[in-house]
Amino acid sequence: MSQSTQDHLVALRRDLHRHPEPAWREFYTTARIVEEIERIGVDELHVGPDALNADERMAVPDEDVLDEWYDRALDAGADPDLLESLRGGFTGAVAVLRKGEGPTVGLRVDIDGLPQAESTDDDHVPAREGFRSENEGAMHACGHDAHATFGIGVLERVKQSDFEGTFKVFFQPAEERVGGGRAMARSGHLDDVDYLLAVHVGLDHPTGEVVAGIDGFLAVSHFLAEYDGEPAHAGAKPEEGRNTVQAMAAAIQNLYGIPRHSGGETRVNAGLVGGGTATNVIPEESFVEGEVRGETTELKDYMKDHAHRVLRSAAEMHDVDVDIHTEGEAPSAVSDGALADIVYDVASRTDGVDSPVDRDKLGGSEDATFLMQEVQDNGGLACYLAVGTDHPGGHHTATFDVDEASIPIGIDVLTDSILSIAKTQP
């Protein structure tokens, strides 16, 4: 990779880092990605509604929230005509190169930021070097700015290569809410994909280390339970109220009492709770927002069924109503060994990679699994890999950052893996 190309990609990553946007609000991010795709030149470009199955989106914010972030992107200089096509939170893109006869190979990268305030410390490189988040309260605390940059870098390299076949890059929104994977997986754009790679930076692996195949994805389901009761004066007429905080408290206690399962690991967490208006008012509205996970999709479903039963039973116990919504969801997945072997071989001979690793476990959740499963269900192969990066803070923390030396490494490994896959067709 030439120094000018590397400088351009670093500048792109920093631009994206300055403009982090949470799930379904990636307006500036999508516009910037499209600008780069059009610079490269592709055979097909699907943007916004054309890149997704609109009916499969999950965890989409309210319209007023979307409008606020739309205006931010406009103020930041995003193309107004392109933004209009993204209105309503239809973010993301699919870029397609058609280079003759051969297999269809896909690369999935996610593009959203997190609702996390970024450090202002001088020790934090983005703050010191002037590319800290300009969207206060949001930041790229998981490296998706680097992922989007991988997608652009690989797209350009594949176009310039002797690749034969069709190459697709899926710039997926809303991963952090596990809300976008299903919509992109069921868009129709994966129907002809024979091989799919997905990638993440870091994951506690240092710069120079590449993990060829990641497994151990926990299937996940996010829930929101909203309790509705009856207010009353807590001193004068408490018997006239129907107390939703009592239901909420019972639900929280009993969620953690769901029996473990002999089939594998399970998780539950009530991460965000609230309700009530004043100390002297019986609370008429309360909520519990949380998640369940399982080592397999079946174990996640076991936890989800039990969690919903607990949430409903707490409402019945305290004579209040409850509405339960699934806010986001993703299955488990397994990386196919045939692709992981190719990635390992490529990484072993890539400059800058001093420690190729065959396999590792994620230990968390990722909605790339929807895309992986879609390809595998259609008879193809899929693999999730990790490109190590030195990050001073942990993922999802205010001091997270990407070592920019890992960007050319990731692009080299991904590009050469894609070329090898197309030639060998494992």
Side-chain angles (χ1 to χ4, degrees):
M1 181 183 299
S2 70
Q3 189 61 50
S4 62
T5 298
Q6 186 168 332
D7 290 346
H8 178 82
L9 292 170
V10 167
L12 171 61
R13 180 256 161 172
R14 292 187 175 196
D15 187 27
L16 296 175
H17 192 91
R18 280 196 303 271
H19 299 93
E21 298 161 306
W24 302 120
R25 285 152 275 187
E26 307 95 330
F27 297 112
Y28 181 91
T29 304
T30 300
R32 189 70 181 84
I33 288 167
V34 168
E35 180 183 329
E36 289 292 322
I37 294 170
E38 290 177 339
R39 176 186 62 82
I40 294 166
V42 294
D43 297 293
E44 296 175 24
L45 175 56
H46 306 275
V47 181
D50 293 334
L52 305 162
N53 183 327
D55 295 333
E56 299 288 353
R57 293 188 304 163
M58 295 183 285
V60 180
D62 292 338
E63 189 174 338
D64 58 340
V65 174
L66 293 173
D67 287 345
E68 175 195 344
W69 285 84
Y70 183 98
D71 291 341
R72 285 193 190 193
L74 199 59
D75 292 342
D79 179 354
D81 292 334
L82 178 65
L83 284 181
E84 188 60 36
S85 70
L86 308 178
R87 192 178 284 279
F90 291 96
T91 49
V94 179
V96 183
L97 288 174
R98 299 197 183 278
K99 299 189 64 174
E101 295 297 319
T104 299
V105 184
L107 170 65
R108 178 272 195 183
V109 293
D110 44 13
I111 65 173
D112 54 325
L114 279 156
Q116 164 76 51
E118 184 162 12
S119 172
T120 58
D121 248 349
D122 280 344
D123 289 343
H124 183 54
V125 173
R128 188 175 69 242
E129 298 296 326
F131 62 97
R132 180 185 175 274
S133 170
E134 295 176 9
N135 291 331
E136 289 300 328
M139 73 171 286
H140 273 295
C142 202
H144 297 189
D145 49 345
H147 300 171
T149 304
F150 284 162
I152 294 299
V154 173
L155 183 68
E156 187 162 24
R157 284 276 306 280
V158 171
K159 182 176 181 181
Q160 295 168 349
S161 74
D162 61 356
F163 175 89
E164 293 183 2
T166 298
F167 178 56
K168 298 185 177 185
V169 184
F170 299 89
F171 295 92
Q172 185 214 300
E175 185 278 329
E176 295 293 359
R177 291 299 306 272
V178 287
R182 187 174 72 181
M184 190 156 271
R186 297 177 183 173
S187 64
H189 294 301
L190 281 104
D191 291 353
D192 65 340
V193 173
D194 302 298
Y195 307 101
L196 178 74
L197 296 181
V199 62
H200 207 297
V201 291
L203 303 181
D204 298 322
H205 295 276
T207 301
E209 194 161 278
V210 170
V211 182
I214 298 282
D215 295 310
F217 295 93
L218 295 178
V220 64
S221 182
H222 293 178
F223 62 81
L224 171 62
E226 297 177 301
Y227 291 97
D228 185 48
E230 191 72 31
H233 193 289
K237 296 285 186 180
E239 73 281 1
E240 293 182 359
R242 292 187 293 128
N243 193 326
T244 59
V245 164
Q246 285 181 288
M248 177 190 74
I252 294 167
Q253 186 70 21
N254 289 315
L255 282 169
Y256 289 99
I258 294 174
R260 303 299 89 185
H261 197 290
S262 63
E265 296 181 38
T266 56
R267 303 281 191 273
V268 62
N269 189 52
L272 186 62
V273 302
T277 56
T279 60
N280 61 351
V281 178
I282 300 295
E284 65 174 314
E285 292 183 349
S286 300
F287 71 93
V288 182
E289 190 167 359
E291 64 175 29
V292 293
R293 303 187 193 227
E295 188 174 339
T296 64
T297 304
E298 292 73 24
L299 286 169
K300 178 266 294 178
D301 290 340
Y302 162 84
M303 293 296 291
K304 179 178 177 179
D305 289 345
H306 277 266
H308 285 205
R309 175 181 56 79
V310 165
L311 295 166
R312 289 192 301 269
S313 297
E316 183 177 355
M317 179 187 302
H318 293 284
D319 191 27
V320 300
D321 300 317
V322 64
D323 287 324
I324 304 172
H325 312 277
T326 297
E327 296 288 287
E329 201 158 46
S332 60
V334 174
S335 289
D336 286 301
L339 293 191
D341 289 345
I342 289 174
V343 174
Y344 184 86
D345 289 342
V346 167
S348 298
R349 57 178 187 269
T350 298
D351 289 344
V353 179
D354 50 41
S355 181
V357 177
D358 183 26
R359 291 278 183 158
D360 195 12
K361 290 188 175 183
L362 183 70
S365 304
E366 234 277 22
D367 69 358
T369 53
F370 270 118
L371 286 80
M372 295 171 68
Q373 190 175 78
E374 186 76 15
V375 170
Q376 290 166 333
D377 287 349
N378 290 335
L381 301 179
C383 179
Y384 192 100
L385 64 127
V387 175
T389 195
D390 295 333
H391 48 88
H395 289 271
H396 295 207
T397 67
T399 57
F400 181 86
D401 188 31
V402 169
D403 176 10
E404 291 169 339
S406 64
I407 291 176
I409 295 172
I411 291 170
D412 286 347
V413 169
L414 288 164
T415 302
D416 291 345
S417 295
I418 288 160
L419 297 180
S420 182
I421 288 166
K423 287 177 182 176
T424 62
Q425 299 186 43

